[in-house]
Amino acid sequence: MPIERVVCQWCQAMNEKSAVSCRACGAPLDIKNLVSESGWREAPRIKDMTEIHFGQSTCQVEGEIVPVAEINLGPGDSIFFEHHVLLWKDDATQMSVMTLQGGVSRVLAGMPFVISVATGPGRVAFSRDATGELVVLPLHPGMELDVREHAFLLSSHHISYSFVRIKGLRNILFGGQGMFMDRFVTSNEPGLLILHGYGNVFERVLKPGESILVEPGAFLYKDATVTMNVEFQQLKSGFFGGSGMSLARMTGPGRIGIQSMYIHHNTE
Amino acid sequence: MTEIERTYTCAWCNTVSDGTALSCAGCGVSIDVRQTVTKSGWIEMPGRHDMAKIQIGNSHLQIEGEYVPVADFSLAEGDGVYFTHHVLLWMEPQIKVTSMGLKGAWKRLFAGMPLIMTQAAGPGHIAFSQDHSGELIALPIQPGAAIDVREHIFLAATSNTTYDWFSTNVWYTTRNGNERETHYPLGMFMDRFFAPTTPGLLLIHAAGNAFIRHLAPNETILVKPTALLFKDPSVQMHLHLEYPRGGRFSWGLFSTWYYRHIWLRLHGPGRVAIQSAYKHMEENGRNIVSYSPATQAQW
């Protein structure tokens, strides 16, 4: 007799029929997917104390206003993360540093020079510093995801981390996200990536050639296939000259994620 | 047998709906929850179902998210909205964006208010949000009615409402030696939105939670100036200063108030709304040497 399974609408993972939340991303399976008429899907509101499984480890999501990701690392599993997101850890959890290429460029661009690594067994917990949502993105083999700098909370060691330089002077100056974006790539194994989005997080899948204009400070993540170009719109106001507005044109195919409490950048 | 009428008057925005829906047709708040009123008479803004929809003529608005809610307009051909700088979240490429010039540009410039409003015309989708957590308040404005909103609170309004601004006339001047400094606890100006002929919709973003109350004629209440969200134009306001005993530090010729209260006194009749996460006013503690019409008390 075939075993009945429930597919998670957020990450497509298969779950047992009796499960109330997805084993891979924590999304509730017993509530309706919230999609706006304009096509934005709200990131699933992960219920307090939901457990997520990856490798030999688990992640428990605690709290709802500024959620905490508490990781119980299995032996041999590890995660990496930026400075300033560590909330607490067990004494026994092993810590090390992942050295990165292009250190000088990263320092000049205001990005972290070192990425820390925690290795199991042991517990370690993370949170950011503002109201928002944890966005749990299980990455399947062969996926490439670009993330706004300082938005990633932690990633499992199955995912390789690099950074890509944002192309074009206009994109750097008016794109509101500096010179680099973080890039997460999976090879043969699936991995877990957790971001913290400020405010509420929404995702939309763009078709090939379809484009949308987004406030650059609202950009959170995108598939590597989505292109981003900043456009400047001049708004005139007679004697006073007016004002300008920069918007990022995101063109598909692929996913794009935005946050509603965006990081404002100066456009004038 | 006659059918029982199930009309519902929203305590938040006064819109009368048929009472069969889960959300108020005018402002989108939930009507299937019990109204929360404090013992002192403040009505807490009822929660809103995520993705609640509000119909505005041929266009509609969907409110998405709960921490920092997004106002997602679906504009029909010929419909439009205007908004201040820095609240645009995303828009479809076919939306036409232009600037709307404002009178009194010099005064606005000196008062730190936006010089231009941006207007967007349909058809297409356009969405707005603020950059801090709180509640998104949709305020329907009936034809002939107006609402006064404190500066920098406004998010967006439909094009059939007019925008104007007026001097608050709430100020005080402090002196330090020969230096004088004028303070505007409410800001120099307030925004006024008016719907001349057809019902309009105004969107504002409250920091924290929002509360409303209806003041009876001549009823007054004191609120912190930066907590005020909006009021009916019939509500009058002026400064109220309170000096607690022992709140002043003096040493020789030097004296400073390290503890005093600067309030806004609101007089009914009409609605007033406040936000819970208000900004603290900068207070230099210097002696107040002149001020706009005010009441005073010592205790």
Side-chain angles (χ1 to χ4, degrees), chain A residues 110-182:
Chain A
M111 291 184 82
F113 180 58
V114 289
I115 294 283
S116 306
V117 180
T119 305
R123 287 179 189 271
V124 58
F126 305 90
S127 66
R128 283 259 176 208
D129 56 356
T131 308
E133 293 190 284
L134 285 189
V135 187
V136 182
L137 295 164
L139 297 189
H140 305 300
M143 281 176 96
E144 282 188 24
L145 199 80
D146 296 337
V147 176
R148 148 184 226 102
E149 61 178 28
H150 305 305
F152 110 90
L153 194 70
L154 65 101
S155 170
S156 70
H157 71 280
H158 313 95
I159 296 173
S160 68
Y161 170 75
S162 63
F163 57 96
V164 283
R165 196 169 73 80
I166 293 173
K167 288 176 187 164
L169 190 61
R170 173 172 288 195
N171 289 341
I172 293 169
L173 293 177
F174 301 109
Q177 52 210 304
M179 287 173 71
F180 298 103
M181 272 189 293
D182 292 326

Side-chain angles (χ1 to χ4, degrees), chain A residues 34 36-38 40 42 45 64 199-200 202 212-213 215 218 235-237 240 243-244 260-262 264, chain B residues 50 53 60 62 64 66-68 70 72 85-91 99 105 116 125 129-132:
Chain A
L34 287 171
S36 74
E37 281 206 349
S38 50
W40 289 97
E42 202 170 318
R45 187 76 42 84
E64 289 177 341
N200 290 100
F202 301 89
I212 190 151
L213 296 166
E215 153 65 40
L235 298 165
K236 289 184 179 168
S237 163
F240 289 92
S243 178
S260 63
M261 190 163 77
Y262 56 83
H264 180 68
Chain B
D50 206 352
K53 267 171 70 170
H60 63 259
Q62 194 164 27
E64 303 154 6
E66 289 176 342
Y67 298 136
V68 182
V70 175
D72 180 350
H85 218 47
H86 310 316
V87 297
L88 180 61
L89 183 67
W90 63 266
M91 68 177 195
S99 62
I116 58 164
H125 280 269
S129 67
Q130 270 285 7
D131 56 358
H132 50 264

Side-chain angles (χ1 to χ4, degrees), chain A residues 206-211 251-254:
Chain A
L206 296 173
K207 296 188 197 94
E210 186 187 2
S211 68
T251 306

Side-chain angles (χ1 to χ4, degrees), chain A residues 246-259:
Chain A
S246 297
L247 292 170
R249 183 181 286 270
M250 317 295 289
T251 306
R255 285 181 297 177
I256 165 182
I258 58 169
Q259 55 191 356

Side-chain angles (χ1 to χ4, degrees), chain B residues 130-210:
Chain B
Q130 270 285 7
D131 56 358
H132 50 264
S133 53
E135 296 192 276
L136 207 153
I137 303 170
L139 286 168
I141 310 177
Q142 297 308 316
I147 294 175
D148 297 342
V149 180
R150 196 166 61 81
E151 63 180 26
H152 305 305
I153 302 282
F154 158 67
L155 195 72
T158 52
S159 295
N160 57 346
T161 55
T162 63
Y163 170 73
D164 202 356
W165 48 280
F166 61 94
S167 171
T168 56
N169 197 30
V170 174
W171 55 270
Y172 62 93
T173 302
T174 54
R175 192 175 69 188
N176 180 23
N178 289 328
E179 266 181 37
R180 280 171 176 258
E181 194 179 350
T182 303
H183 308 261
Y184 298 91
L186 258 187
M188 279 175 81
F189 302 107
M190 260 181 105
D191 296 328
R192 176 165 288 171
F193 299 89
F194 174 62
T197 51
T198 51
L201 187 79
L202 171 67
L203 290 176
I204 62 176
H205 180 99
N209 291 100

Side-chain angles (χ1 to χ4, degrees), chain B residues 73-284:
Chain B
F73 279 93
S74 172
L75 294 174
E77 177 82 46
D79 281 357
V81 288
Y82 57 91
F83 53 97
T84 55
H85 218 47
H86 310 316
V87 297
L88 180 61
L89 183 67
W90 63 266
M91 68 177 195
E92 286 176 347
Q94 70 267 30
I95 290 274
K96 294 180 234 26
V97 176
T98 51
S99 62
M100 180 170 100
L102 300 172
K103 63 174 186 177
W106 278 114
K107 284 185 180 173
R108 291 183 67 87
L109 188 70
F110 289 123
M113 292 182 82
L115 265 185
I116 58 164
M117 286 280 182
T118 311
Q119 50 192 1
H125 280 269
I126 184 165
F128 307 97
S129 67
Q130 270 285 7
D131 56 358
H132 50 264
S133 53
E135 296 192 276
L136 207 153
I137 303 170
L139 286 168
I141 310 177
Q142 297 308 316
I147 294 175
D148 297 342
V149 180
R150 196 166 61 81
E151 63 180 26
H152 305 305
I153 302 282
F154 158 67
L155 195 72
T158 52
S159 295
N160 57 346
T161 55
T162 63
Y163 170 73
D164 202 356
W165 48 280
F166 61 94
S167 171
T168 56
N169 197 30
V170 174
W171 55 270
Y172 62 93
T173 302
T174 54
R175 192 175 69 188
N176 180 23
N178 289 328
E179 266 181 37
R180 280 171 176 258
E181 194 179 350
T182 303
H183 308 261
Y184 298 91
L186 258 187
M188 279 175 81
F189 302 107
M190 260 181 105
D191 296 328
R192 176 165 288 171
F193 299 89
F194 174 62
T197 51
T198 51
L201 187 79
L202 171 67
L203 290 176
I204 62 176
H205 180 99
N209 291 100
F211 301 86
I212 195 169
R213 74 187 293 153
H214 298 258
L215 293 177
N218 297 320
E219 188 186 358
T220 72
I221 192 155
L222 300 173
V223 300
K224 284 285 169 185
T226 47
L228 181 71
L229 277 175
F230 66 88
K231 66 174 190 68
D232 284 336
S234 57
V235 173
Q236 300 299 308
M237 58 188 183
H238 65 72
L239 203 59
H240 175 73
L241 307 167
E242 283 190 0
Y243 298 98
R245 189 168 298 165
R248 186 181 196 176
F249 173 75
S250 300
W251 190 66
L253 291 174
F254 176 79
S255 94
T256 184
W257 287 92
Y258 60 86
Y259 182 49
R260 69 181 167 197
H261 291 281
I262 291 161
W263 294 101
L264 186 68
R265 187 188 286 278
L266 298 161
H267 292 257
R271 287 179 304 173
V272 297
I274 55 168
Q275 58 184 358
S276 60
Y278 62 90
K279 276 187 186 166
H280 286 281
M281 286 188 303
E282 285 177 23
E283 244 281 70
N284 62 13

